[in-house]
Amino acid sequence: MLGILDLSTEIVFWVLTALVFLGAVYFWHHLSGNKFTRVFARMTVLLVVQILAIASLGLTINRNNDFFATWGDLFGVNNNLSKVAISPATLSSISQAEVNSAEKTKGGSLIFKRIITGAESGVSDYVYLITSPRVSQELRKSISPSIGSNYQVIEFLHGFPGVPQTWIGTMDGIGAIEKLESAGKIPPTISIIPAINVVRGLDTECLNIPGTSQVETWLTSDMKTFAQSFIGIDDRKWTTFGYSTGGWCAAMLGLRHLDQYQSGVSIAGYFQPNFSAGINKRERTILTSEYDLTKILNAGSSNFKMLMIYSRRDKFSFDSMSKYLAAIGNSYDIKLVEMPNAGHNTKSWKPFVSTGLDWLGLSAIPSASGSLK
């Protein structure tokens, strides 16, 4: 009740803001005068009205962008998900009962939501596994559910702050997959959408940070183990697909784990860690060197294909991408797509999710020169 993403919560706060504002206007004459108590009362009323208005606006923005999923996420409170998470040892294959009870989208996809503990990272958090309509049909065919052999696997990565549900809601990645699959433009798709902000209040940049959390391991080997155990995915390579911080994660994970990923899509991403408060100077220096994508590429050949969707108005991500492209030269398989007049927000990015999925559906991907044209 009154969850941070609930429409009812937003309505309650806006109604309360309006009532307090109207009450202040109506009873203002009772607070007139120069006595300290009257002055203090007027200040308090004005402060309460402003706090409620800011809180209501914040709830509206959060519902439109899916920054925080719970009040605990907002205030950086650890919900101790390890108490309810499924451990690797007890994770079982999907059953027909689970298929039948799964949440269904209007387009025919099935949504499986789990709280798991990573087999190697020890991280406990949410992961969504979503099967597109044709994969869902395969699952329903027999008593022992099977996904068949015709599918692609995409790991979707959200931003900071952000939650996995953004790809289902605000960004509508699942809806885009359903439309393109129906049109025959992409193969049946299994979407894996893990939480990346697993340390409350800290932007880990999807890295393995000693003494903090093994997020890179959680997103790579732990997700693969989960997908194989739960739904029977084979060893075929995946695609990474992220926006903002998730765009950085998409590039970094793909380049550092070529055994697991073959391609990646970055929307408004950047190409070196962008640390927030909580990571000290020494750690930043060590991690920046370890996760230097230019150095990783220059150390050996890479077959990892990348689509970079960018906007010149989004100065931070554009500058980061420009420096990265200049540093790696022209020898890598990179395609560039510009978002005209787009800012750094989900409203600008949403139309280009289909662009990224279309690119994945192409059998032959042309290389870019590395210049911004």
Side-chain angles (χ1 to χ4, degrees):
M1 184 177 181
L2 294 184
I4 196 170
L5 290 175
D6 293 346
L7 177 61
S8 58
T9 304
E10 183 182 350
I11 293 173
V12 166
F13 268 77
W14 278 116
V15 169
L16 187 59
T17 301
L19 290 175
V20 173
F21 173 75
L22 292 174
V25 171
Y26 186 80
F27 292 106
W28 191 257
H29 63 283
H30 292 294
L31 304 176
S32 62
N34 295 325
K35 291 184 178 180
F36 173 78
T37 53
R38 298 292 179 89
V39 172
F40 182 77
R42 293 198 298 271
M43 291 174 59
T44 301
V45 169
L46 291 174
L47 182 62
V48 169
V49 170
Q50 290 184 61
I51 290 174
L52 285 172
I54 292 171
S56 300
L57 182 60
L59 285 168
T60 299
I61 293 172
N62 188 62
R63 283 196 71 249
N64 288 330
N65 294 277
D66 293 333
F67 291 136
F68 302 99
T70 67
W71 294 105
D73 291 340
L74 174 64
F75 294 109
V77 177
N78 191 337
N79 294 323
N80 199 10
L81 294 174
S82 61
K83 290 184 177 180
V84 294
I86 303 171
S87 70
T90 59
L91 182 63
S92 58
S93 298
I94 191 170
S95 67
Q96 193 61 50
E98 288 176 304
V99 171
N100 295 336
S101 63
E103 180 183 349
K104 299 175 179 63
T105 69
K106 292 181 180 179
S109 298
L110 295 178
I111 301 176
F112 302 94
K113 178 183 177 182
R114 295 291 183 271
I115 303 174
I116 66 168
T117 297
E120 294 186 32
S121 69
V123 170
S124 298
D125 219 309
Y126 288 93
V127 56
Y128 289 78
L129 190 149
I130 304 174
T131 55
S132 66
R134 279 198 274 171
V135 180
S136 300
Q137 288 172 7
E138 285 288 334
L139 286 172
R140 294 191 188 99
K141 280 183 178 179
S142 61
I143 297 175
S144 299
S146 169
I147 55 176
S149 59
N150 179 28
Y151 61 87
Q152 66 174 347
V153 182
I154 303 177
E155 184 172 10
F156 287 97
L157 304 158
H158 56 83
F160 178 87
V163 292
Q165 298 96 305
T166 307
W167 282 110
I168 305 170
T170 304
M171 292 289 280
D172 195 25
I174 303 307
I177 287 173
E178 292 170 347
K179 291 176 183 176
L180 291 170
E181 181 189 87
S182 177
K185 293 184 177 181
I186 62 171
T189 303
I190 296 172
S191 302
I192 297 172
I193 317 177
I196 71 170
N197 301 320
V198 302
V199 181
R200 300 295 176 254
L202 178 65
D203 178 8
T204 64
E205 295 288 287
C206 298
L207 311 183
N208 281 348
I209 304 176
T212 301
S213 196
Q214 305 295 295
V215 185
E216 180 185 4
T217 302
W218 157 258
L219 296 173
T220 53
S221 59
D222 284 348
M223 286 303 108
K224 187 173 183 179
T225 298
F226 163 68
Q228 289 178 330
S229 300
F230 180 60
I231 207 167
I233 286 174
D234 59 24
D235 285 328
R236 72 187 63 197
K237 292 188 176 183
W238 300 7
T239 290
T240 58
F241 199 130
Y243 65 84
S244 191
T245 298
W248 147 256
C249 299
M252 180 273 290
L253 295 177
L255 289 171
R256 282 174 59 87
H257 299 270
L258 296 174
D259 59 327
Q260 185 168 343
Y261 305 103
Q262 63 182 352
S263 57
V265 178
S266 169
I267 301 179
Y270 46 92
F271 298 89
Q272 62 181 20
N274 180 37
F275 297 109
S276 60
I279 308 296
N280 63 46
K281 185 176 180 180
R282 181 175 177 276
E283 289 174 328
R284 291 177 186 225
T285 301
I286 294 172
L287 292 169
T288 298
S289 176
E290 181 180 350
Y291 288 89
D292 185 333
L293 300 189
T294 303
K295 186 165 63 177
I296 293 170
L297 272 173
N298 292 337
S301 61
S302 172
N303 295 322
F304 184 72
K305 299 178 176 67
M306 192 84 197
L307 172 64
M308 300 178 185
I309 302 175
Y310 69 95
S311 169
R312 294 175 187 270
R313 285 183 58 192
D314 189 355
K315 188 167 177 56
F316 171 72
S317 64
F318 177 74
D319 287 350
S320 177
M321 183 187 71
S322 300
K323 291 177 182 177
Y324 177 62
L325 292 176
I328 65 174
N330 303 326
S331 58
Y332 301 103
D333 201 346
I334 297 171
K335 183 171 179 62
L336 306 174
V337 172
E338 182 173 0
M339 297 182 288
N341 301 316
H344 198 80
N345 56 74
T346 54
K347 184 178 180 180
S348 298
W349 304 330
K350 180 180 177 180
F352 289 88
V353 173
S354 293
T355 303
L357 292 169
D358 261 330
W359 175 79
L360 293 176
L362 298 176
S363 57
I365 304 172
S367 299
S369 64
S371 60
L372 303 180
K373 296 181 179 180

